[in-house]
Amino acid sequence: MVGERQAVARHLIVRGCTTDLLLAAALGDLTLVRRHLDDDARPVRMRVDDHWFPKVNPKAGGTIYNWTLGFHASAHEVAKRYGHSDVLQLLFNRTPAAARVVEACWIEDEDAVARFRQDVTDVNSALDQSDRTLVAHAARNNKTMAVRLMLESGLPV
């Protein structure tokens, strides 16, 4: 629904369905993205992973977002994928400095990485362990440029 049936998703939202930042970013709904971030700033770090979407059944394959958005996708990646540059800019504006570098690496935006690295002297020290594991997740997702940018930014192998 996030990709192929956005009209249906928009209709359901108008009818009152619950949303999250990933859906709002995919739809390019700047007002909804802003509302999610104003209500709680933490989801700017949201990813399609077991932390944000814990499995009810440990044998399950995970959330539908794994298959529609991608494993470990972030709202930043989703906004970029669907061409919502205004949403992407808002997300970057609300993202902590070191995490901005990681997100720019993840979406393989070399210019943004260079720009954001100017604000952080030691990217690796400013990150938590889950951010540091993104190098491995990017490698698993075959995001070669993202891995290169993360390593050049100082994330550990």
Side-chain angles (χ1 to χ4, degrees):
M1 185 165 325
V2 171
E4 305 86 37
R5 292 175 274 174
Q6 288 193 355
V8 174
R10 290 178 200 283
H11 176 75
L12 292 172
I13 291 168
V14 169
R15 304 284 301 192
C17 87
T18 301
T19 63
D20 60 34
L21 187 60
L22 294 170
L23 178 59
L27 296 175
D29 189 328
L30 191 59
T31 302
L32 187 56
V33 169
R34 188 174 285 114
R35 187 177 324 135
H36 278 292
L37 295 175
D38 288 346
D39 288 347
D40 183 358
R42 290 174 297 170
V44 78
R45 309 297 309 283
M46 179 183 280
R47 290 192 169 280
V48 180
D49 64 16
D50 291 343
H51 170 76
W52 288 97
F53 300 95
K55 294 178 185 177
V56 175
N57 175 353
K59 295 181 181 182
T63 175
I64 189 65
Y65 280 165
N66 287 332
W67 317 110
T68 57
L69 297 178
F71 289 82
H72 299 278
S74 66
H76 302 73
E77 178 181 7
V78 171
K80 181 181 178 189
R81 179 182 308 152
Y82 290 101
H84 305 304
S85 57
D86 53 344
V87 170
L88 182 59
Q89 185 60 53
L90 175 62
L91 291 167
F92 274 131
N93 289 345
R94 301 280 188 102
T95 303
R100 262 196 309 264
V101 174
V102 173
E103 288 299 342
C105 292
W106 188 265
I107 66 170
E108 302 177 336
D109 185 337
E110 288 184 271
D111 293 335
V113 171
R115 211 171 43 252
F116 296 148
R117 281 180 63 185
Q118 293 175 4
D119 298 331
V120 186
T121 54
D122 183 0
V123 174
N124 185 45
S125 295
L127 298 173
D128 63 25
Q129 187 56 35
S130 65
D131 291 320
R132 290 185 195 103
T133 64
L134 288 173
V135 175
H137 296 306
R140 191 211 57 185
N141 286 3
N142 203 27
K143 296 171 73 72
T144 307
M145 183 186 289
V147 171
R148 179 179 59 78
L149 291 169
M150 287 180 191
L151 295 176
E152 288 173 357
S153 295
L155 275 73
V157 177

